Amino acid sequence: MMTSVPTLRLLPLKNLMEPELDALREGIAGLELAAGQDAFVGEPTEMAQLALDDPARHPFAIVVSAAAEAAVEGSHVGSEARVVGMGVLHVGAATDTGWPDANAAVLLRGFLVDHREQGRGYGGAATRAAVELSRELVADLGLPATGVVLGVNERNTAAHAAYLKAGFVDSGRYLGGRSGPQHIMYCPF
């Protein structure tokens, strides 16, 4: 029996027109965190709005469906597209997670997959896609960054393992996290 695997795409929210932006914002508003996950990541709607209002932050929705490919290529998001997560690429902010140079890496923050969608491989695929999206963003903006950095709370062992599996390396420890000590993780483009 042949099964269909949904297409996963990251759809940057900036520069989208209505109704695509509204549809993705609605999907982000419907994201749910697992119990206790709010200690590690912010509220999705607030993170998306903060990023939309900040020129240095570039929010994206993690979307799955057969129609996601068409949405990336400029047509509408499609009624069958499902937002399963989100994230923010923050340029010039790598030191927020303990990286020594603010501009040497793009900071991946606010990255989450809806708890109802976890365990399906979306997180790993979206993490790898976020590295590629960061590379494209750096090229488009003419920035000096050579990779992606993130901070993951030491208590969030599942996320730490997932980032390692997605190609990030543990690059030290940061004690300034809002929820306690964090692993500094890095992935070159």
Side-chain angles (χ1 to χ4, degrees), residues 66-123:
E69 182 74 32
V72 169
E73 294 174 1
S75 67
H76 62 83
V77 172
S79 60
E80 295 181 26
R82 272 186 311 125
V83 175
V84 297
M86 67 158 298
V88 177
L89 301 175
H90 195 169
V91 297
T95 54
D96 286 3
T97 192
W99 199 248
D101 180 345
N103 296 307
V106 174
L107 175 60
L108 175 59
R109 66 184 334 148
F111 184 82
L112 66 98
V113 172
D114 186 293
H115 80 93
R116 298 165 294 187
E117 303 289 351
Q118 292 175 1
R120 298 179 186 188
Y122 297 149

Side-chain angles (χ1 to χ4, degrees), residues 15-156:
N15 303 321
L16 283 179
M17 304 301 289
E18 311 295 338
E20 291 83 12
L21 179 58
D22 287 341
L24 293 174
R25 288 171 89 160
E26 185 176 316
I28 288 170
L31 295 174
E32 292 183 13
L33 303 175
Q37 194 176 10
D38 58 340
F40 307 128
V41 68
E43 195 280 320
T45 303
E46 292 173 12
M47 288 189 304
Q49 188 59 53
L50 176 66
L52 284 167
D53 293 340
D54 182 346
R57 296 181 193 219
H58 302 271
F60 58 85
I62 303 167
V63 176
V64 293
S65 81
E69 182 74 32
V72 169
E73 294 174 1
S75 67
H76 62 83
V77 172
S79 60
E80 295 181 26
R82 272 186 311 125
V83 175
V84 297
M86 67 158 298
V88 177
L89 301 175
H90 195 169
V91 297
T95 54
D96 286 3
T97 192
W99 199 248
D101 180 345
N103 296 307
V106 174
L107 175 60
L108 175 59
R109 66 184 334 148
F111 184 82
L112 66 98
V113 172
D114 186 293
H115 80 93
R116 298 165 294 187
E117 303 289 351
Q118 292 175 1
R120 298 179 186 188
Y122 297 149
T127 301
R128 290 184 294 278
V131 172
E132 178 59 24
L133 185 61
S134 296
R135 185 192 63 72
E136 293 170 7
L137 179 65
V138 164
D140 288 348
L141 298 177
L143 301 174
T146 58
V148 177
V149 67
L150 58 87
V152 62
N153 191 284
E154 289 182 352
R155 294 179 290 134
N156 196 348

